[in-house]
Amino acid sequence: MGPEMGALLANMNILSTTSDHASVVSLNIFIALLCICIVIGHLLEENRWMNESITALIIGLCTGVVILLISNGTSSHLLVFSEDLFFIYLLPPIIFNAGFQVKKKQFFRNFITIMLFGAVGTLISFITISLGAISIFSNMDLQPLKIGDYLAIGAIFSATDSVCTLQVLNQDETPLLYSLVFGEGVVNDATSVVLFNAVQNFDLSHLSTSVALQLIGNFFYLFISSTFLGVLAGLLSAFIIKKLYFGRHSTDREVALMMLMAYLSYMLAELFDLSAILTVFFCGIVMSHYTWHNVTESSRVTTKHAFATLSFVAEIFIFLYVGMDALDIDKWRIVSDSPKTSIGVSSVLLGLVLLGRAAFVFPLSFMSNMTKKTPEEKISLNQQITIWWAGLMRGAVSMALAYNKFTRAGYTQLRGNSIMITSTITVVLFSTMVFGLMTKPLVRLLNPSPKHLSSMLSSESVTPKSFIVPLLNGESEAELSGIARPSSLRMLMTAPTHTVHYYWRKFDNAFMRPVFGGRGFVPFVPGSPTEHNNEQWQ
């Protein structure tokens, strides 16, 4: 018995060592592919037809083909998809950086319109896609899909990915359009995840009015609670750093505390079954408004670039994996007996995405324009078309939600679930590759930039100093984003600035900044001239 047990343990140790070695090899190859994506993306940056997302997808597809050939058709990817990997490690830096980098003045100046598009619009798109899926897919051979699956499909395909459009738009040339597309994109992602979680937490086998009201109530509860938690975490980090002055001893502590507090807000939202994506987004907004201005100059530069880099790598990681997983032979083998059904489902989903997007962009734009007094504030038809186009692409969030709903640890043996996964992959690939490549000519056709502004921007030297100095000198975001201020009393009367942002700034200056710091607060250094300046914030 003893020798046999020893031999068994030895074999298990050999298998474990072999498995660990294979994992290390896979990680090395994957990291090398990430480096290749960055290099090729840099080489293609000047043309701007291709971005890192499309580049990573293409490289992932090519790598998947090579792996398929090497493995004799048994596998196409190096890593097994994990919902935890995406939602716990990859998604937080992407969403936090979106909130951290957002132009707050533009965001809150257009806050009502952004929330209309991001929250109400996503809800309209969710209803449109869900109803379309129920009416069309119920007549197709897609068993065993249930009512909860159809509603999940609505949430999955309501999540947009406007990366391609944002890389073409310029904040200085089209500040209104950029603000609307960016703000709507991040609020849309958060709303889609909230809807998805709300649908998952309810028994929808017996749908009734009370269940529908509970679903709506749960949605608003998640939205409000998640936002409050994110704001609270951001304010707490600002207060701690302002009071304790970590920077006088170590800037590393400031940077580490900001990162950990941001991640803590995300994990607390997961712990309390809230929308972590919404929590970390608003935590990023609050941190950039208060905490970031309380740290030392070196910490400001470090955190801004660190958050952007983490987000950048996470996005490339996701698209690279999606490209590989698009050729997963197991999923395609299950649906290989009905290619017409798979193609039909993908086509229907694409059509519903187009319809669901149009169902709210144009009506809500009309409603928003009704409240605007000047033509400059209104959303033109060309801008509406651009906003509609910007939300047609589907990406990482849609893929992650689809895997979460229709697979277990990246695998599924159910035919209906496999069709939904392969169809999601098809929609993501088609929308990113086709719509993404057509974005630049469409945007330039509909929103041509002034020649004098383009030449001025192109003639300016972009140096590290020119990028950092405006961030550290406390220039207003209106100046950075090219927003013109009223130059006369007559202009001020015809174009009033009493927006959400106006009232918020009055409250912010009177109550918030004296407690939590922010722009105008200089970190305390004993014996320096800044010691006297900080007294006004104590």
Side-chain angles (χ1 to χ4, degrees):
M1 183 68 180
E4 293 178 358
M5 182 62 70
L8 180 60
L9 291 174
N11 291 333
M12 290 178 64
N13 187 38
I14 293 174
L15 290 173
S16 176
T17 304
T18 304
S19 177
D20 291 342
H21 178 72
S23 299
V24 171
V25 172
S26 298
L27 284 173
N28 274 278
I29 297 174
F30 204 91
I31 293 172
L33 291 173
L34 288 174
C35 296
I36 293 172
C37 290
I38 293 173
V39 172
I40 295 179
H42 170 73
L43 296 176
L44 298 174
E45 178 66 22
E46 294 202 2
N47 291 329
R48 298 186 74 174
W49 285 85
M50 298 275 288
N51 56 61
E52 278 79 10
S53 302
I54 299 177
T55 303
L57 274 175
I58 294 175
I59 293 177
L61 284 169
C62 296
T63 306
V65 172
V66 173
I67 297 174
L68 271 177
L69 295 175
I70 294 176
S71 63
N72 296 321
T74 59
S75 178
S76 66
H77 42 68
L78 299 167
L79 305 174
V80 177
F81 184 87
S82 169
E83 292 87 356
D84 291 339
L85 173 66
F86 178 83
F87 283 104
I88 302 299
Y89 302 108
L90 297 179
L91 191 59
I94 296 174
I95 302 302
F96 176 80
N97 185 66
F100 194 78
Q101 302 284 358
V102 69
K103 295 288 185 182
K104 293 179 291 298
K105 184 162 187 174
Q106 276 295 315
F107 181 84
F108 288 105
R109 181 187 293 272
N110 303 298
F111 183 77
I112 296 177
T113 305
I114 288 173
M115 294 306 295
L116 269 178
F117 285 156
V120 180
T122 304
L123 191 60
I124 295 173
S125 178
F126 163 75
I127 294 172
T128 303
I129 295 175
S130 297
L131 292 177
I134 292 172
S135 60
I136 298 175
F137 292 160
S138 58
N139 298 322
M140 301 175 67
D141 185 19
L142 289 179
Q143 298 300 324
L145 295 183
K146 302 176 182 178
I147 183 65
D149 298 325
Y150 293 121
L151 295 178
I153 291 171
I156 290 168
F157 290 96
S158 295
T160 65
D161 186 0
S162 52
V163 172
C164 295
T165 308
L166 288 174
Q167 290 191 345
V168 174
L169 292 176
N170 189 294
Q171 295 189 68
D172 300 308
E173 296 175 7
T174 55
L176 172 63
L177 187 58
Y178 188 95
S179 173
L180 292 178
V181 172
F182 180 86
E184 186 252 334
V186 291
V187 177
N188 165 276
D189 285 345
T191 307
S192 299
V193 175
V194 170
L195 282 170
F196 183 83
N197 291 334
V199 169
Q200 295 287 87
N201 294 333
F202 275 87
D203 180 16
L204 301 170
S205 57
H206 300 88
L207 195 59
S208 61
T209 305
S210 61
V211 173
L213 291 176
Q214 284 183 333
L215 188 63
I216 296 173
N218 188 53
F219 168 78
F220 283 107
Y221 164 74
L222 287 175
F223 207 96
I224 296 172
S225 301
S226 303
T227 301
F228 177 78
L229 179 59
V231 171
L232 184 64
L235 291 177
L236 181 61
S237 68
F239 185 79
I240 292 174
I241 289 180
K242 177 177 178 292
K243 289 297 181 182
L244 298 182
Y245 304 119
F246 286 91
R248 62 181 168 183
H249 295 304
S250 171
T251 58
D252 296 338
R253 292 192 181 100
E254 291 181 323
V255 177
L257 187 63
M258 286 185 68
M259 289 184 172
L260 292 174
M261 286 292 290
Y263 193 65
L264 178 63
S265 71
Y266 187 90
M267 296 308 298
L268 283 175
E270 288 285 338
L271 178 65
F272 297 131
D273 293 325
L274 301 176
S275 172
I277 188 173
L278 197 62
T279 296
V280 79
F281 172 67
F282 277 96
C283 180
I285 290 180
V286 174
M287 276 194 173
S288 68
H289 189 65
Y290 296 110
T291 314
W292 190 75
H293 294 281
N294 293 344
V295 299
T296 59
E297 293 185 2
S298 58
S299 295
R300 295 180 196 178
V301 177
T302 301
T303 52
K304 202 166 188 70
H305 287 288
F307 294 143
T309 302
L310 290 173
S311 172
F312 175 72
V313 174
E315 286 184 355
I316 296 179
F317 187 103
I318 292 167
F319 279 100
L320 181 62
Y321 182 85
V322 169
M324 291 185 191
D325 199 63
L327 300 175
D328 186 6
I329 200 67
D330 291 331
K331 300 183 183 70
W332 292 103
R333 185 182 291 118
I334 296 174
V335 302
S336 61
D337 60 335
S338 54
K340 291 184 179 179
T341 302
S342 183
I343 295 174
V345 170
S346 302
S347 303
V348 168
L349 289 173
L350 273 173
L352 290 175
V353 167
L354 294 168
L355 179 62
R357 184 77 183 165
F360 76 85
V361 169
F362 300 106
L364 293 183
S365 297
F366 177 79
M367 291 176 57
S368 177
N369 288 340
M370 294 287 288
T371 64
K372 306 297 183 182
K373 296 182 179 181
T374 61
E376 292 78 13
E377 294 178 329
K378 294 184 177 181
I379 308 172
S380 66
L381 180 60
N382 286 352
Q383 291 176 330
Q384 293 177 35
I385 295 174
T386 304
I387 294 172
W388 170 74
W389 184 270
L392 295 180
M393 283 159 278
R394 296 297 177 265
V397 176
S398 294
M399 284 294 303
L401 294 179
Y403 272 96
N404 183 275
K405 178 64 181 178
F406 297 109
T407 68
R408 293 293 179 271
Y411 296 102
T412 180
Q413 296 297 323
L414 298 176
R415 182 174 171 277
N417 290 356
S418 295
I419 289 178
M420 293 312 307
I421 290 294
T422 54
S423 298
T424 303
I425 292 172
T426 303
V427 171
V428 169
L429 288 177
F430 182 87
S431 62
T432 303
M433 300 285 289
V434 178
F435 296 157
L437 287 173
M438 294 172 62
T439 295
K440 181 180 179 179
L442 181 69
V443 170
R444 292 200 169 180
L445 175 66
L446 296 177
N447 304 277
S449 59
K451 292 184 179 180
H452 69 279
L453 181 59
S454 300
S455 61
M456 180 180 68
L457 291 171
S458 60
S459 62
E460 289 180 351
S461 61
V462 181
T463 63
K465 184 177 180 180
S466 66
F467 172 71
I468 295 171
V469 169
L471 298 175
L472 303 182
N473 287 347
E475 292 182 17
S476 68
E477 286 160 350
E479 294 168 347
L480 294 177
S481 58
I483 304 300
R485 292 179 179 271
S487 57
S488 66
L489 181 61
R490 183 178 179 182
M491 261 188 87
L492 183 62
M493 293 176 66
T494 56
T497 58
H498 287 201
T499 59
V500 173
H501 177 265
Y502 170 81
Y503 293 107
W504 160 250
R505 285 302 288 263
K506 291 186 67 176
F507 174 79
D508 190 29
N509 291 331
F511 301 102
M512 300 297 289
R513 292 188 181 188
V515 177
F516 300 104
R519 176 167 289 138
F521 173 76
V522 182
F524 171 80
V525 179
S528 71
T530 62
E531 181 175 1
H532 174 70
N533 296 335
N534 287 334
E535 292 177 0
Q536 61 177 317
W537 299 107
Q538 301 307 314

